[in-house]
Amino acid sequence: QQRKLDRINVTAAVLVARRAYQFSAIDGTGLGWSSASLAICISRLTDLHEEHQSKLRKSYYPFRLVLSSDEFQRKVDLYGGVIRLNPAATMLQWLGTLLTVTDESVRMLKKNQTTLKQNQIILENSLGLRAVKGHTCEPHEYHRCIEKLARESQHNTSSGKGKSLLAVSKKASIIIESEQACRRGKLRKDGCFQVGAGMDLLMIRKTLGNFAVRSKEYIQTELEKQAICEEVVNRIMYELGVQRVNRVSSLVTSDQMMECLSMLLDKDEAEKEVLRQYLAGQSIGIAGHGHLCHLGDDGSIIIPTNCS
């Protein structure tokens, strides 16, 4: 009950802060804090606005606010559209960061976003696949990579070389990672293509051609696994009275999900009866290896994939 009240409090605190600053969104999930602690932190942000309203902008849209303890990233990112505030900083330090956002900052952000969308359309029409920024790729590096590849695509199109590869599955994507993290093209287990920001269009096309067939096989296999996984989830909900089953992280694979849920289904009837008493009407979250069974902040029961 207390966790539910904490979630309501943090939701209300985020709503008040968003209305005050006109952020497009506020994200503090990366901190790993409880809802109660996050609500207190965001309430400080609202207090700052009330105290220094005359100095602050009326609207910070389209920027979104990210609460992060990472001091190595840009506090105001004109490519990713992010303002980063460290929760350990003082309110005056927060104020200093917010005051650096000007009309020129908003104009540059909107220009960068518009340019990115235009270049993405050019690139995706050329390759026939959607381009996605990877976790290791900084926004400014991603923007420059897409701009470079779009120019090469236009040049190839004008010279009659720009043709999408028909053998590539349309369900796949191109994941662009940083140049340091990825120096040559790879095929991920989900069937998507991983490339580096330093690769040119010719190298990317070569990667697509090399892994196109295996990519389609991986995607088809994953779709089949997801269908089986959905059947297992339905059985869990029916036999144990569970309200909902979901993955806590996208890193949890379908194989891990099925292994964990099958472990619950393989219990004998006496053990299932005990499980029903605990799980009936509850939500289950499947987490990765190495985690203990615990109660999630949303009230769901978190079970690791290696649970016995």
Side-chain angles (χ1 to χ4, degrees), residues 258-276:
M258 286 188 289
E259 181 183 355
C260 182
L261 296 179
S262 296
M263 178 272 299
L264 296 175
L265 291 173
D266 289 341
K267 302 291 185 183
D268 59 38
E269 195 56 40
E271 290 177 309
K272 284 184 179 179
E273 184 59 37
V274 175
L275 287 173
R276 285 190 198 98

Side-chain angles (χ1 to χ4, degrees), residues 16-290:
V16 172
R18 280 190 63 189
R19 285 180 175 175
Y21 290 91
Q22 296 295 306
F23 288 124
S24 63
I26 295 179
D27 182 9
T29 54
L31 294 172
W33 288 10
S34 67
S35 295
S37 299
L38 194 56
I40 294 172
C41 181
I42 295 175
S43 295
R44 288 176 56 207
L45 191 64
T46 304
D47 294 339
L48 176 67
H49 186 273
E50 292 176 354
E51 185 176 352
H52 299 281
Q53 186 173 358
S54 60
K55 301 178 183 178
L56 295 166
R57 294 179 56 82
K58 291 183 178 179
S59 173
Y60 283 85
Y61 188 85
F63 282 97
R64 64 186 180 94
L65 176 69
V66 174
L67 296 171
S68 171
S69 56
D70 189 349
E71 286 292 325
F72 295 97
Q73 291 183 303
R74 302 183 183 188
K75 294 187 180 300
V76 179
D77 189 341
L78 300 182
Y79 291 93
V82 173
I83 298 175
R84 293 183 177 86
L85 297 180
N86 190 333
T90 66
M91 293 178 68
L92 287 179
Q93 287 175 315
W94 283 3
L95 178 63
T97 300
L98 293 170
L99 290 178
T100 61
V101 180
T102 63
D103 290 340
E104 180 63 17
S105 302
V106 175
R107 189 189 69 80
M108 283 299 300
L109 172 59
K110 291 181 177 179
K111 179 183 177 182
N112 290 336
Q113 290 179 335
T114 300
T115 302
L116 176 64
K117 289 179 181 178
Q118 292 173 346
N119 289 331
Q120 280 180 321
I121 291 173
I122 295 171
L123 178 61
E124 290 169 7
N125 287 340
S126 172
L127 297 177
L129 294 175
R130 186 169 64 98
V132 180
K133 186 180 81 67
H135 293 296
T136 63
C137 190
E138 292 294 328
H140 68 278
E141 185 180 20
Y142 178 68
H143 278 243
R144 289 170 184 168
C145 174
I146 295 294
E147 183 180 6
K148 176 193 67 176
L149 295 175
R151 284 200 306 267
E152 292 180 17
S153 297
Q154 287 180 316
H155 175 73
N156 287 349
T157 300
S158 61
S159 59
K161 299 178 182 178
K163 295 181 181 179
S164 61
L165 299 173
L166 298 178
V168 178
S169 171
K170 300 302 179 183
K171 294 183 180 294
S173 299
I174 300 174
I175 313 298
I176 299 178
E177 300 289 352
S178 69
E179 185 174 2
Q180 291 75 18
C182 182
R183 297 186 180 276
R184 63 176 183 174
K186 304 174 184 176
L187 181 64
R188 304 193 338 170
K189 291 183 179 180
D190 59 1
C192 292
F193 304 91
Q194 181 176 309
V195 300
M199 296 172 61
D200 59 21
L201 192 63
L202 181 61
M203 294 174 66
I204 292 176
R205 282 186 170 276
K206 185 177 179 180
T207 299
L208 299 183
N210 289 342
F211 298 116
V213 176
R214 285 172 58 191
S215 171
K216 294 180 72 172
E217 292 174 353
Y218 283 5
I219 290 174
Q220 183 60 37
T221 302
E222 180 61 25
L223 290 174
E224 293 171 358
K225 288 180 180 179
Q226 288 177 4
I228 298 173
C229 201
E230 188 175 348
E231 292 178 5
V232 176
V233 167
N234 290 334
R235 282 188 60 194
I236 286 285
M237 295 173 65
Y238 176 76
E239 295 187 21
L240 301 180
V242 175
Q243 184 178 12
R244 183 168 57 103
V245 179
N246 66 291
R247 309 182 198 207
V248 174
S249 168
S250 58
L251 297 178
V252 177
T253 65
S254 296
D255 286 332
Q256 291 175 326
M257 187 96 167
M258 286 188 289
E259 181 183 355
C260 182
L261 296 179
S262 296
M263 178 272 299
L264 296 175
L265 291 173
D266 289 341
K267 302 291 185 183
D268 59 38
E269 195 56 40
E271 290 177 309
K272 284 184 179 179
E273 184 59 37
V274 175
L275 287 173
R276 285 190 198 98
Q277 297 176 13
Y278 291 106
L279 299 179
Q282 301 293 333
S283 296
I284 293 179
I286 308 300
H289 280 66

